[in-house]
Amino acid sequence: MITLNDTVLQYLLAAVVALPLLGAAAALLPAPPGLRGRSPEQAVLRHGVTVTGVVLAAALALAAGFDYDRAQDIQGGTDISWIPALGIRLHLGVDGISLPLLVLTALLTFLCALYSYRNPPKGPTPTAFVALLLVLEAGTLATFAVLDLVLFFLAFEMVLVPMYFLIARWGGEGRAKAAWKFILYTLLGSVVMLLGLLLVGLTAGTFDMVALASDNGAGIGRTTQIVAVLALGIGFAVKTPMWPLHTWLPDAHTAAPTVGSVLLAGVMLKMGTYGLVRIVLPAAPEGAAHFAPYLAAFAVVGILYGSLACLALVRRGGGGDLKRLIAYSSVGHMGFVLLGIATLTRTGVNGALFANVAHGLITGLLFFLVGALKERTGSTDLDALAAQAAGGRGAGLYGRAPRFGGLLAFGAVASLGLPGLAGFWGEMLALLGAYHPADGLSRPAYLVFMALGGLGTLLTAAYLLLVVRRVCMGERQPETAALPDVRGYEFAAWTPLVVLTVLAGLWPALLLGLTDPAVQNLLPGVSR
Amino acid sequence: MTETVTPAPPAPPAASAHPGDTAALAADLVQSVDWVALAPVAVTAAVALLLLLADLFLPERRKPLLGWAAVAGLALATLSLLPLVGEDRSTFCLTTDAAACSYTADGFALAIQLLVLGGALLTALLSVTTVADSKLPPGEYWFLLLSSVAGAALLPAARDLATLVVALEVASLPVFALIALRREDRKASEAALKFFLSSVTATAVSLLGISFVYAATGSLHLRTVAQSLTDVDPRLTVLVPAGIVLTLVGFAFKTAAVPYHFWVPETYVGAPVPVAAYLSVIGKAAGFSGLILVTLYAFPAYAGTWGPVVGVLAALTMTVGNVGALRQRPDAPHSAVRLLAWSSVAQAGYLLVPIASAAYGDDPGRAVGATVAYALMYAVVNLGAFAVVLRLHRAPRAGARPGADGGTRVADFRGLYAAHAPTALALAFFLLCLAGLPPGVIGLFAKVSVFAAAVDAGLGQLAVVMAVNVVIGLVYYLRWTALLFRAPVGAPARLSLPAPVGVALAVTAVAGVVLSGAPQLVLRFVSGSLL
């Protein structure tokens, strides 16, 4: 859009990764005179908004300066030797795959900071909260920006510590156990992943992702590739999460504070699928082809399992928690992403990347809304909510807070994949990819997967409409008080997500034009 | 120092009919001594003797000065390494063969001496308050500690088998006494006796092995032994491998490799905490440098003999150590030191991996570099962890008589973050380094370099065993780390922070963080050949 030379891009990208870290350190220091604000709490929360805002601005400038005609190339690259003894380099860069995720991360973190500024989370001091939020942002951005396997691992791990504390300190009921489960699962997963990364790096003789992608697995034997993909796959599958390794996710989401849930669903889950696309597909294609059918099978089970679990939660008397329901729906949605990747086709992988971003936008919005709902009604228990209105059939949000109810219905409908909204394209492309998987993969099996995935979309629609039925609809009782409708700061935090959901739904080429050249680059020799 | 070909006594007067000839003859027979190269060892030994003497003349209230003098002496010894950097200096060379030397200050020796002297400096800082608090006799304590340090510093530079054994004994004999210094403590005496008896047995076995090797090669100099071993009399084909394996025994004992690990937990618990820290880092480093010297300098021709032995030792050691650490109950008495003791056994297993790889790979220098880099990382973070344990150890517990409480339990660390955030963060960092997880980046990279050494040498099975062990290790390190951040039970104990312990804690934490940012500082040993 605007032309920036590569040096400027390079500095912008370095700034995007480094600023949150510097900001986190600065948050721990006392505020300088002139920036003290009304109270130390207010000052540090404002600091969080400023830093994430600057990072977002830098990310947007990076997106503006990105050369869309060569989206397959690494742009804004920095490549400095860090540990020559092990051949580890500080290698940064963006291409069409990582750019949307970088911008999404910067945006969601900024919105979270904005939201927390007016609505500080309940817990210990906000200083630590802001510092942790910024470290979390730095780790996530670094995961998407680095091009060295070992750095990738470091960035991947850097996210765990702040997320653990966000859950354990600012979370709700059962937070200690949920946080421990979260850290245990993801840590064990990433240790296995590290072994896979080392195996790939040491046998190929380089840790550089660009070199590994251009070699396309040439320097790694088939057996090694299979072992490496197994190890890497387990690590990424825990993070994504893939059924049956998902059990940490519902607990973590239910216990996490609103901001934690938004970031967890919005960006952290993407790190797993990003790793699959960025590392597994290009660096070990034979291993990937070996495991693709299994991955697809697990993905489809995840889709069905996620939606059935949601259906069980949403039914009357099921005692389902709305946050937990959205967490399970994430398992289903990420199942589509995994299915898209497992087709090993351009269509499927593009669909997966699209669904990744769409899920970030929509589920981020939904977690914001559920957090706000809990604050207004004091509960996210579906039965308790429904009991607040006449006949216990629905919470009657439309009547009590019309705009809020409308937004919630919008989020639910977007999540079920209504055409015209962001959720549609990714899942459709993933299913389309499964209709005609890459050569060498069993087509009948994938047709079955596709059919089951299609069934999953139906079930998803069913439970999300039931959620709308039970939360938004229902007759308003005269004695129940009206709820506060969407507040100014909530409006500011949620509008960008709504706008982008509609935009991505109406103009999918915006995103697909960016990812497709890069995906072609990662899957050489694949025609579809 | 040179038992092989002793500098002959001065020529008898009867033979010196021509005074000019005598001078020439003396130059032929007397070895020249390079005192600069010897300085790190000599300074330490001299300070040890001075302190023992000074103790006799100092009045009781001035005794704490001895500790500070020891710290200064060790700092001086560490500084004396500086002029030696970048060149290989040898001394005590044979007058008949200038290449056969008994003492060489090369890159390997300097790296280990840095570890030994730096680690000893930190140990001394930790000891200052312990000596005063536990009423240990200061003169004896500092003399014994510095003597042991002198031996440990001599060891990596020793280049003949006799000097090696002497250095190893000088490094370990004073430690028995250090452990037993707490006279009223029965547990300490028992630990010292156990350690003493098993150590002496191991050394005796080693000496037997060395005698076999000497019988086969006719030399004790590592370089000459290595040359002779390439072409051994066929009648000695049984004797030589037996000698090599027996020689390894003594060194394996000092590294606490399985099956010589059993002394570790009891000894560490019985010893004063700084001595346990010293044993876990410097004692181990001494054992390792000895092992590297005998295997790679003296017996490279028999890599097929000792390679599998070291490989199996590595696998067993890390597994047994990790399982032992895993079984520690957090609320058992002394569980903190006990856990660190078992973890040090496990870490010794990782340290052995590159040595085993050196037998199979084509670049043993890289492999040794990985061991050295790992040992340096381990020294920094393990001493740091011991410093934190010592700090809690000193915390007065209500209603407990000094020495009668259960020592420091892992459970005592619960909620440390709420009470003393910096100390808790430092310990969390050290534990994560030991586990090899970010933010303990240096721990991760040290493990990666060890792992790479195994993979490069084609030791896939050993790499797999190590990977499994790293995962087991995570469990107990993380359990401890998580405990730090749990809600405390009851009011947190007030901890005093004596200045020297604080300095040691700060130095190790800063060193760990700096190394995490610039791992190349220690990992350069991996790329630069040390052999």
Side-chain angles (χ1 to χ4, degrees), chain A residues 82-86 88 150 153-154 157-158 161 164-165 169 180 184 187-188 191 194-195 198-199 202-203 207, chain B residues 366 417 437-439 441 444-445 448-449 451-452 455 467 471 474 478-479 482 485 516-517 519-520 523-524 526-527:
Chain A
W82 185 34
I83 311 175
L86 297 174
I88 295 168
V150 179
F153 173 76
L154 287 183
E157 291 295 281
M158 194 169 138
V161 177
Y164 171 81
F165 283 110
R169 306 247 142 180
W180 181 238
L184 204 66
L187 206 56
L188 287 180
V191 170
L194 173 66
L195 297 177
L198 290 179
L199 191 59
L202 292 176
T203 39
F207 286 112
Chain B
R366 265 185 84 90
Y417 180 74
L437 276 183
V441 177
L444 169 70
F445 285 136
V448 169
S449 62
F451 197 74
V455 172
V471 176
L474 285 184
L478 281 178
R479 214 155 46 187
F485 298 98
S516 289
Q520 184 64 18
L523 290 179
R524 65 199 177 90
V526 180
S527 44

Side-chain angles (χ1 to χ4, degrees), chain A residues 292-339:
Chain A
Y294 303 99
L295 179 63
F298 280 121
V300 169
V301 174
I303 295 172
L304 293 175
Y305 174 85
S307 33
L308 289 175
C310 287
L311 273 174
L313 286 172
V314 79
R315 71 172 204 284
R316 272 176 94 175
D321 180 281
L322 198 50
K323 257 184 152 177
R324 182 170 277 269
L325 183 138
I326 298 175
Y328 273 111
S329 88
S330 285
V331 177
H333 286 303
M334 294 317 278
F336 281 104
V337 177
L338 291 175
L339 178 63

